[in-house]
Amino acid sequence: MPPVLRAPFVVEFPFTRSLGPVQSAFLTGLRERTVLGVRTVDGRVLVPPVEYDPVTADEIRDLVEVGATGTVTTWAWNEDPRPRQPLATPFAWVLVRLDGADTSLLHVLDAPGPDAVRTGMRVRARWAAERTGAITDIACFEPYEGEPAGPARPHSGRFPEPVTGIVAPARLDYTCTPGRAQSRHLAALEGRRTVGERCPSCRKVYVPPRGACPTCGVATEEQVEVGPRGTVTTFCIVNIKAKGLDIEVPYVYAHIALDGAGLALHGRIGGIPYDEVRMGLRVEPVWREGSRHPDHYRPSGEPDADYDTYKELL
Amino acid sequence: MTGPAGRGTTSRAHGRDIAVVAFAQTRHTRRTDDMSEVEMLMPVLHQVLSQTGLRTGDVGFTCSGSSDYLAGRAFSFTMALDGVGAWPPISESHVEMDGAWALYEAWVKLLTGESDTALVYAYGKSSPGELRDVLTRQLDPYYTAPLWPDSVALAALQAQALIDAGEADEPELAGVAARSRRDAAANPHAQLQGEVPRGRHLVRPLRVSDCPPIGDGAAAVVLAAGDRARELCERPAWIRGMDHRIEAHGLGVRDLTRSPSTRLAAEHAGLFERPVDTAELHAPFTSQELVLRRSLDLDARVRVNPSGGALAANPVMAAGLIRIGEAASRIHSGESDRALAHATSGPCLQHNLVAVLEGEAHAG
Ligand SMILES: [Zn+2]
């Protein structure tokens, strides 16, 4: 069993999301230091606002302005803030019922410690210095001793240059490990050998192996060295240059059945004009120093393979 | 013979009786670095099938539950399909959720009469990522997710709401943790067993012992209809009813001290027709068990989470299916005659599924 391989893997995406009329008014309002809610069919004021009544599912558009001050309805002290959370120092997660609202908003409270926080305490929004129309325009809440604001007042929801969309960046960090079958395969590649695994039931040799025969649903354990030479079973001509890929177009991308393998893997074909690549062409891998995988495959100089020898591997 | 026939149950209303006839799960662990998802899952599939003597080709319908966000990879469930032998083509479906909902889909499929057997499986490897961060991505992306409130933080808000309402205190939470981990000592699959120190506050008021372990694991269940179930299992766990209900996403709209969706699902699943003797509740946090017990009117006569529950092992996406499997196993073994199984999804018990399982009375 080779040692467990590990590789960092980052999934990062800036989700661009469009806002409906209610969310647009709410987030634009935050940019203007104005907190808006929406009135439900039964007269309750929801903050943050939604577009459909949670009880009746009716469309609701009746916007109102509530206070930027409110009351903590529940809280949780966070001693160890995580990297992307709003405050880097210990803080309280809070649900805050803003003055004039009937529901609570989730946010964070800047307080010296858990003893300074209690349900029922009065708080007010601390606005971010730079505001873009996002929930983080409220930097956090802070303790506040003043009088409550009055009831919710009607608001048109209209602002100059309304925010109509947000970009929500998200990043998750993973440490990937390939599992037993792929680890064995990757370890062999280090010695420039391609190793597949044979299904004990149907005898097919899988390369690269994933640890299971998808036909029989059983573990593949028996190691089988395949190649290094193989046969082009099918191919396509790529005419579009991929971003960050240093390969001149057009080039050929092919399915290659390595000798002894029960299915074809894929690779680039080089060392031959793109329009001379054909089914049945015999190829061999070309390794580049320091790379775990063959860079490409080139003609081996052998006569073409007979169609019958690879027709099951198409 | 005083079987349940003619008692008028929810699944009987659909004209067919469906049962859980087999259940298997991994020994859940903190990490499975040396195994891919399919390598972790495959032994469980083999176990559950061997209990029934079925081969993959014999199964009428296959449904799985898992999440791309755990794997960090799109369409990750397709890799796991290698483990069931999906060639020649099988009738297959997937939910990007806990496997309990995959089981729900399979149950509906069997109720339609389109097949007589179903294989349901679920798996989750939490170890490659930071689970608390990963789960923030299921939150509303406009108002909530940009603040990155993690799963423990949200559960802690719910726990404090319960404490403020006078319905729990820290010792009571600790009691739930201690009972769960004590019971888990008899469960060879549990990740945490026996005495576990309460630990420091992770997010106050929740301490380490109030929170589930993070781990990797998989589970699988076989369902069968009518006489087929009797052929495959000595004492099938008949699904008398199953339902799932969801609440508003906004936490501030909900009363976090109650779980009305669980209550409603339980009513529709027929829970309150007769008492249950066992309840497997998917409560990853101690405070959530208290919320669920109260919403379901479970009193001291009901054995709650004899497996140790999600506090002993919480492989995300499989933990709910495991609750159904554990409840069914106790019926298979005769330790239970009528059991409740519950699964949850989303922050602070947002979405809840309830199944009621029964064994037929022993002959003689
Ligand atoms: Zn095979």
Side-chain angles (χ1 to χ4, degrees):
Chain A
M1 182 72 220
V4 172
L5 300 170
R6 289 172 201 285
F9 182 63
V10 177
V11 177
E12 200 165 13
F13 40 88
F15 262 131
T16 304
R17 297 181 176 276
S18 49
L19 304 172
V22 170
Q23 289 175 320
S24 170
F26 176 69
L27 293 179
T28 308
L30 294 184
R31 190 188 69 195
E32 307 304 325
R33 304 189 195 207
T34 299
V35 186
L36 299 184
V38 69
R39 203 178 289 280
T40 62
V41 173
D42 65 6
R44 291 188 311 147
V45 171
L46 308 183
V47 179
V50 294
E51 288 159 336
Y52 294 91
D53 190 302
V55 177
T56 65
D58 284 326
E59 191 172 327
I60 45 178
R61 293 287 182 272
D62 191 4
L63 294 168
V64 293
E65 182 178 352
V66 299
T69 54
T71 304
V72 170
T73 60
T74 186
W75 62 284
W77 185 255
N78 190 27
E79 190 63 42
D80 305 300
R82 301 175 74 79
R84 295 176 185 87
Q85 291 172 350
L87 295 174
T89 50
F91 64 84
W93 290 103
V94 281
L95 282 171
V96 177
R97 192 171 59 233
L98 293 171
D99 296 331
D102 293 297
T103 61
S104 300
L105 171 78
L106 178 76
H107 220 290
V108 303
L109 172 70
D110 187 9
D115 294 339
V117 187
R118 61 185 168 77
T119 295
M121 77 183 284
R122 298 281 301 154
V123 295
R124 73 174 163 203
R126 183 191 296 164
W127 298 101
E130 278 181 41
R131 296 181 307 282
T132 59
I135 191 68
T136 45
D137 287 353
I138 298 175
C140 62
F141 281 84
E142 60 191 17
Y144 168 69
E145 297 299 337
E147 288 302 302
R153 297 181 302 278
H155 192 286
S156 70
R158 284 192 289 275
F159 298 93
E161 296 174 62
V163 177
T164 57
I166 59 167
V167 177
R171 174 183 163 139
L172 294 171
D173 288 78
Y174 298 88
T175 302
C176 288
T177 55
R180 290 167 185 162
Q182 291 196 67
S183 292
R184 287 188 291 252
H185 177 71
L186 291 167
L189 282 175
E190 209 138 40
R192 298 196 171 179
R193 294 183 306 122
T194 302
V195 171
E197 290 187 358
R198 193 189 305 277
C199 171
S201 173
C202 70
R203 310 300 292 160
K204 196 165 176 172
V205 174
Y206 289 92
V207 54
R210 296 211 298 251
C213 172
T215 303
C216 308
V218 298
T220 54
E221 292 284 348
E222 184 193 340
Q223 314 281 293
V224 182
E225 188 158 343
V226 298
R229 291 181 169 179
T231 302
V232 171
T233 62
T234 184
F235 65 95
C236 65
I237 299 165
V238 180
N239 286 291
I240 297 168
K241 207 170 158 69
K243 204 165 143 186
L245 201 61
D246 185 26
I247 301 169
E248 283 309 307
V249 291
Y251 66 87
V252 172
Y253 184 76
H255 277 190
I256 301 154
L258 295 181
D259 295 346
L263 74 168
L265 46 70
H266 44 74
R268 183 167 64 88
I269 305 296
I272 179 173
Y274 71 91
D275 55 356
E276 290 177 23
V277 174
R278 54 203 180 265
M279 291 171 74
L281 180 71
R282 294 284 297 159
V283 293
E284 62 189 12
V286 178
W287 298 82
R288 193 171 273 176
E289 203 52 53
S291 168
R292 197 187 275 274
H293 295 273
D295 179 70
H296 63 275
Y297 292 79
R298 69 181 173 209
S300 66
E302 297 161 280
D304 283 5
D306 200 43
Y307 179 68
D308 282 342
T309 64
Y310 63 87
K311 67 178 183 189
E312 301 295 333
L313 305 176
L314 281 178
Chain B
M1 173 93 191
T2 53
R7 279 179 183 167
T9 58
T10 306
S11 85
R12 188 161 286 276
H14 298 277
R16 265 194 131 195
D17 281 335
I18 317 289
V20 175
V21 296
F23 169 57
Q25 59 182 318
T26 48
R27 189 184 169 147
H28 313 298
T29 53
R30 176 64 188 87
R31 322 192 62 87
T32 47
D33 287 345
D34 65 329
M35 280 185 278
S36 66
E37 277 90 343
V38 68
E39 288 168 338
M40 177 178 74
L41 174 65
M42 206 163 25
V44 172
L45 295 171
H46 293 169
Q47 274 174 43
V48 82
L49 290 171
S50 75
Q51 286 175 33
T52 58
L54 291 171
R55 291 169 311 165
T56 43
D58 305 327
V59 174
F61 181 59
T62 297
C63 196
S64 62
S66 67
S67 171
D68 283 353
Y69 280 76
L70 292 178
R73 216 172 38 232
F75 293 100
S76 54
F77 75 94
T78 59
M79 310 288 261
L81 264 181
D82 285 354
V84 296
W87 181 269
I90 59 170
S91 173
E92 185 268 344
S93 184
H94 173 257
V95 296
E96 190 73 12
M97 304 184 70
D98 190 288
W101 277 267
L103 185 139
Y104 184 89
E105 182 176 334
W107 179 66
V108 170
K109 182 88 168 179
L110 265 56
L111 285 177
T112 66
E114 277 189 44
S115 63
D116 291 332
T117 51
L119 169 65
V120 179
Y121 65 88
Y123 63 93
K125 280 184 65 160
S126 299
S127 57
E130 285 289 335
L131 184 64
R132 286 170 68 180
D133 296 334
V134 168
L135 290 178
T136 64
R137 300 302 93 191
Q138 70 181 335
L139 302 169
D140 137 55
Y142 303 97
Y143 302 157
T144 314
L147 304 172
W148 292 82
D150 62 277
S151 46
V152 179
L154 296 174
L157 286 168
Q158 185 170 32
Q160 185 64 42
L162 208 59
I163 290 169
D164 286 337
E167 303 211 6
D169 52 24
E170 287 206 38
E172 195 177 357
L173 299 181
V176 171
R179 193 212 69 238
S180 297
R181 267 77 187 246
R182 216 168 33 238
D183 284 346
N187 177 2
H189 304 280
Q191 186 178 337
L192 288 184
Q193 297 172 311
E195 295 299 312
V196 174
R198 290 179 66 194
R200 65 187 180 89
H201 283 119
L202 269 187
V203 180
R204 188 167 163 155
L206 295 181
R207 294 176 182 274
V208 174
S209 67
D210 293 309
C211 302
I214 294 173
D216 299 352
V221 160
V222 174
L223 298 181
D227 289 340
R228 196 80 180 96
R230 292 182 185 90
E231 287 164 25
L232 296 172
C233 180
E234 207 170 300
R235 193 176 191 239
W238 299 104
I239 301 172
R240 290 302 169 210
M242 182 157 45
D243 194 61
H244 64 105
R245 301 279 158 162
I246 195 164
E247 297 171 38
H249 195 103
L251 294 172
V253 178
R254 294 159 49 190
D255 173 3
L256 297 179
T257 68
R258 290 288 179 274
S259 184
S261 56
T262 304
R263 176 84 193 184
L264 195 57
E267 284 168 4
H268 282 257
L271 176 69
F272 302 108
E273 290 169 12
R274 266 190 323 290
V276 291
D277 52 45
T278 306
E280 279 284 342
L281 304 178
H282 184 195
F285 298 92
T286 52
S287 42
Q288 294 181 341
E289 182 184 305
L290 300 181
V291 172
L292 291 168
R293 291 175 82 112
R294 277 155 206 183
S295 294
L296 293 168
D297 294 338
L298 300 180
D299 60 27
R301 285 171 295 186
V302 180
R303 184 85 201 276
V304 173
N305 289 351
S307 66
L311 286 164
N314 190 38
V316 175
M317 300 300 143
L321 181 62
I322 291 170
R323 303 281 72 77
I324 299 174
E326 289 282 4
S329 290
R330 296 186 81 79
I331 288 172
H332 294 161
S333 69
E335 291 162 282
S336 168
D337 290 320
R338 183 170 155 92
L340 151 72
H342 159 267
T344 195
S345 178
C348 299
L349 302 173
Q350 186 198 2
H351 187 180
N352 294 284
L353 178 148
V354 172
V356 177
L357 306 173
E358 275 183 4
E360 283 168 11
H362 296 283

